[in-house]
């Protein structure tokens, strides 16, 4: 397929999403099933246009002065693919599967807009009601940070030190352009793709099958390192999900001590078993039922809560989610987080640590939760997060927003990670 056919297909998928209010992954999958003639390269390029359009919906519509999915898709090609309006029209000429090329008026309008300064509320590419949340979290940098959440994401990997190391993984993936991460000590990064390209299928690599590395965002890796786990400790991963942080903690602990992986939604734990086997992790017990945890009350060195949240920090990877999110959902998540904090804190032993993490950038889910929990639980004291960050990552002082009592925040624009929040409290001995 030429660019015109790919663009037309992307517009078709976007219209399907708009009309049927369905997730992007579902819409793309259905399109692929009903258009089996499209090769993997075509499907990848179509997916890129769709995702770019969702990431840059407001700025693309502003550029085109057209908020239809057609206008947004054309705008995404200009903003993200680096194509000029004239180059797009040249590509569409003679392609019977292409949408209508840009008209003379559209071409003139785009050229005019390209000379103008894009307003902050446009380049932020987020719903209007979210802006106060971002301003509270990032201050004057809110528009820059919001725009970072609309960038294409890199592919992040973690070397599994139980079986390999970062240098070995980098050699194995040399053809992919993989580089060491700036913050995470065992992190490997493959840069964001350009245009219609695709990231390499690293799960097909022999090194992945051997368990030498896992796919994990740098922010998640950093959070695991900050938790303070050491060999021989007793650790409860209370919201373990698919086990990303569980595996990272097991490597940090060198397979010594004990990690209990739990999740209230047991179906989320399903992937963890294969991951544990492939990574040769031997110090993890999976407990899906809450009553199984009762013998652990007051006995754990670290209780880690990777809390369910809005996922606003992951909008680079899930751009459709930001347009579906509502304040009602934020409020619901906040209630769930407070309840989880209260329940999980029972397992921390005197002198132990309670770690609270989200992949959200909203203060309501982060700092506010930390402060509220500390206020209603006098036995827990907030750690000095400035000292913790300096001790853990002395060479990355400027790559996080750190508040001694407010926690540690990572973000795409500043840190190069997904949006992550980390905080910790210690229980009085």
């Amino acid at each position: 397929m030429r660019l015109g056919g790919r663009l037309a297909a992307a517009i078709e998928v976007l219209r399907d999403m708009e009309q049927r209010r369905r997730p992007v992954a579902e819409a793309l999958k259905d399109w692929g099933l009903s258009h089996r003639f499209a090769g993997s390269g075509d499907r990848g390029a179509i997916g890129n246009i769709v995702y770019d359009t969702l990431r840059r919906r407001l700025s693309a519509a502003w550029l085109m002065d057209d908020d239809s999915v057609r206008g947004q898709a054309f705008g995404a090609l200009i903003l993200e693919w680096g194509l000029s309006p004239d180059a797009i029209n040249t590509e569409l000429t003679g392609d019977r599967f292409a949408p209508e090329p840009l008209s003379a008026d559209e071409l003139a309008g785009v050229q005019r807009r390209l000379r103008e300064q894009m307003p902050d509320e446009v380049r932020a590419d987020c719903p209007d009601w979210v802006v106060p949340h971002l301003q509270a979290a990032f201050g004057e940098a809110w528009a820059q940070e919001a725009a970072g959440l609309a960038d294409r994401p890199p592919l992040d990997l973690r070397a599994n030190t139980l079986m390999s190391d970062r240098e070995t993984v980098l050699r194995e993936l040399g053809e992919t352009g993989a580089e060491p991460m700036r913050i995470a000590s065992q992190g490997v990064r493959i840069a964001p793709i350009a245009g219609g390209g695709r990231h390499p299928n690293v799960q097909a690599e022999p090194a992945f099958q051997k368990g030498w590395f896992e796919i994990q965002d740098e922010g998640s890796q950093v959070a695991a390192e900050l938790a303070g786990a050491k060999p021989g400790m007793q650790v409860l991963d209370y919201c373990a999900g698919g086990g990303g942080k569980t595996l990272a903690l097991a490597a940090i602990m060198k397979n010594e001590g004990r990690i209990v992986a739990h999740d209230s939604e047991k179906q989320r734990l399903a992937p963890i078993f294969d991951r544990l086997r492939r990574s040769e992790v031997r110090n993890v017990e999976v407990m899906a039922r809450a009553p199984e945890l009762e013998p652990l009350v007051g006995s754990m060195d670290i209780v880690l809560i990777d809390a369910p949240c809005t996922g606003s920090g992951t909008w680079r990877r899930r751009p459709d989610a930001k347009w579906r999110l509502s304040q009602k959902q934020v409020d619901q998540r906040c209630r769930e987080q407070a309840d989880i904090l209260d329940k999980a804190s029972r397992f921390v032993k005197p002198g132990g640590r309670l770690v609270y993490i989200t992949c959200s950038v909203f203060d309501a889910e982060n700092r506010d939760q930390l402060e509220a929990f500390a206020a209603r639980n006098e036995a827990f004291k907030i750690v000095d997060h400035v000292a913790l960050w300096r001790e853990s990552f002395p060479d990355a002082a400027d790559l996080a927003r750190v508040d001694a009592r407010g926690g540690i925040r990572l973000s795409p624009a500043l840190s190069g990670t997904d949006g992550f929040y980390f905080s910790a409290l210690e229980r009085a001995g």
Side-chain angles (χ1 to χ4, degrees):
M1 296 173 68
R2 294 169 56 185
L3 177 64
R6 291 171 169 179
L7 177 58
I11 292 170
E12 181 182 342
V13 171
L14 289 161
R15 283 177 176 154
D16 179 43
M17 291 179 61
E18 184 178 65
Q19 294 166 3
R20 299 171 64 182
R21 300 184 181 277
R22 57 203 313 233
V24 59
E26 183 181 310
L28 282 168
K29 180 181 178 180
D30 282 0
W31 187 91
L33 290 173
S34 60
H35 298 78
R36 294 184 180 276
F37 61 84
S40 60
D42 293 324
R43 294 194 301 272
I46 292 163
N48 287 351
I49 298 172
V50 170
Y51 274 88
D52 289 338
T53 302
L54 293 169
R55 292 187 186 104
R56 298 294 189 189
R57 196 165 91 176
L58 293 186
S59 53
W62 177 86
L63 179 66
M64 299 299 301
D65 196 20
D66 178 6
D67 63 0
S68 70
V69 294
R70 174 188 176 275
Q72 293 166 12
F74 271 92
L77 286 180
I78 297 169
L79 292 172
E80 284 293 340
W81 291 51
L83 296 176
S84 71
D86 289 331
I88 293 173
N89 269 7
T90 298
E91 287 279 353
L92 303 188
T93 301
D95 186 347
R96 64 189 180 93
F97 298 106
E100 282 295 315
L102 297 171
S103 67
D105 286 345
E106 286 176 318
L107 288 170
V110 172
Q111 294 298 342
R112 183 174 61 253
R113 279 291 171 90
L114 287 171
R115 293 190 294 269
E116 297 177 10
Q117 180 71 35
M118 190 177 290
D120 283 350
E121 61 272 18
V122 173
R123 71 186 180 101
D125 274 302
C126 66
D128 291 343
W129 69 268
V130 170
V131 171
H133 286 285
L134 297 174
Q135 290 173 330
F138 298 117
E140 293 182 357
W142 75 271
Q144 178 185 354
E145 289 290 355
L149 288 165
D151 286 337
R152 286 186 174 186
L155 176 59
D156 286 355
L157 315 172
R158 176 185 57 81
N160 175 21
T161 53
L162 297 175
M163 303 182 67
S164 185
D165 56 53
R166 178 156 70 176
E167 289 68 30
T168 301
V169 173
L170 285 168
R171 285 196 299 271
E172 286 290 314
L173 300 178
E175 294 180 356
T176 68
E179 297 284 347
M181 287 179 176
R182 293 190 297 172
I183 309 175
S185 64
Q186 296 300 324
V188 172
R189 169 162 293 177
I190 299 173
I193 55 177
R198 293 188 298 167
H199 273 133
N201 180 15
V202 294
Q203 290 178 308
E205 293 285 338
F208 178 79
Q209 301 299 326
K210 295 175 184 177
W212 290 4
F213 66 85
E214 288 286 330
I215 299 172
Q216 185 176 24
D217 181 77
E218 184 173 18
S220 180
Q221 296 182 46
V222 168
E225 292 192 55
L226 287 168
K230 294 179 173 58
M233 280 187 170
Q234 301 288 305
V235 177
L236 171 59
D237 188 351
Y238 192 75
C239 302
K245 292 183 183 64
T246 302
L247 271 66
L249 292 170
I252 291 169
M253 294 168 64
K254 301 180 180 178
N255 255 340
E256 299 174 14
R258 181 191 188 197
I259 302 174
V260 175
H262 168 76
D263 200 287
S264 61
E265 297 181 22
K266 62 181 180 181
Q267 65 272 20
R268 296 185 64 210
L269 288 166
I272 198 171
F273 298 99
D274 284 339
R275 298 180 76 182
L276 292 172
R277 283 191 290 270
R278 188 179 65 250
S279 299
E280 292 194 0
V281 170
R282 298 187 298 273
N283 66 336
V284 172
E285 301 172 45
V286 180
M287 295 185 182
R289 298 179 179 85
E292 295 179 288
L293 300 179
E294 287 306 304
L296 307 180
V297 171
S299 66
M300 308 307 287
D301 294 293
I302 296 174
V303 174
L304 184 143
I305 303 169
D306 186 2
C309 66
T310 58
S312 54
T314 66
W315 283 346
R316 297 188 300 178
R317 305 178 193 280
R318 300 173 58 242
D320 55 326
K322 67 179 170 182
W323 305 111
R324 297 198 306 267
L325 187 63
S326 68
Q327 182 61 51
K328 182 178 179 180
Q329 291 171 305
V330 176
D331 295 340
Q332 176 63 30
R333 286 304 192 193
C334 288
R335 289 190 292 270
E336 293 170 357
Q337 291 155 2
D339 181 58
I340 288 170
L341 273 163
D342 289 339
K343 289 179 177 177
S345 63
R346 300 183 305 120
F347 300 100
V348 182
K349 76 177 188 181
R353 177 176 286 187
L354 178 66
V355 173
Y356 176 73
I357 303 166
T358 75
C359 54
S360 172
V361 296
F362 298 161
D363 280 352
E365 300 180 89
N366 297 335
R367 183 193 190 109
D368 295 354
Q369 290 287 11
L370 173 68
E371 293 177 346
F373 175 82
R376 65 179 182 267
N377 292 273
E378 295 183 358
F380 286 87
K381 303 301 180 185
I382 299 172
V383 306
D384 182 345
H385 291 97
V386 172
L388 176 61
W389 183 259
R390 287 174 178 168
E391 178 184 355
S392 303
F393 303 106
D395 298 326
D398 299 328
L399 296 180
R401 289 177 174 82
V402 187
D403 185 296
R405 289 187 53 80
I408 298 168
R409 289 181 295 157
L410 306 173
S411 61
L414 180 64
S415 316
T417 69
D418 281 355
F420 264 88
Y421 174 78
F422 175 96
S423 61
L425 307 98
E426 291 181 352
R427 184 174 181 176

